[in-house]
Amino acid sequence: MGRQADAASALAGIIKAKRAEEPRPVELERLPAAPPSPAPLPPLPASKGRGGKSSDPSYVQCSVYLKKATRKRVNRALDDEDRGRDFSDLVETLLVQWLATGT
């Protein structure tokens, strides 16, 4: 057993020496506490594009497939028109007209 004890003691000495050579980790500075949360922002006034059709229960969202070129031309024409009409207004108008013709 003396031999095992000597080996264990030698191994412990090597480990102790190795640990002494390793650089000690630098303690991280304590970070300051998180700042208090800002007060909630007041609600934005209702205007076109904010809470308009999306919050109006008489409207429903639907999806259609259009060619990219068609959608691009329509958007440009609506911008050029400068009447404040958006894509959904145009589609609504055209569908109501189509229904009125009975075809």
Side-chain angles (χ1 to χ4, degrees):
M1 267 228 285
R3 214 169 183 195
Q4 286 181 340
D6 288 341
S9 177
L11 184 57
I14 293 171
I15 291 172
K16 187 176 180 181
K18 205 59 170 147
R19 285 187 181 155
E21 293 174 7
E22 293 177 0
R24 294 191 179 246
V26 177
E27 284 192 40
L28 297 176
E29 292 181 26
R30 289 197 147 245
L31 297 176
S37 299
L41 297 174
L44 295 172
S47 64
K48 187 169 181 128
R50 288 198 181 109
K53 294 176 187 139
S54 63
S55 62
D56 188 334
S58 63
Y59 284 86
V60 62
Q61 184 178 4
C62 65
S63 298
V64 297
Y65 286 99
L66 297 174
K67 291 184 178 179
K68 289 180 183 181
T70 303
R71 176 64 193 246
K72 187 182 277 189
R73 288 177 55 207
V74 169
N75 282 341
R76 286 181 183 156
L78 287 169
D79 286 343
D80 291 345
E81 196 179 67
D82 201 27
R83 292 190 341 196
R85 200 162 56 151
D86 66 6
F87 191 82
S88 62
D89 292 333
L90 174 62
V91 172
E92 174 75 19
T93 302
L94 294 173
L95 291 173
V96 169
Q97 288 175 355
W98 179 75
L99 288 170
T101 64
T103 53

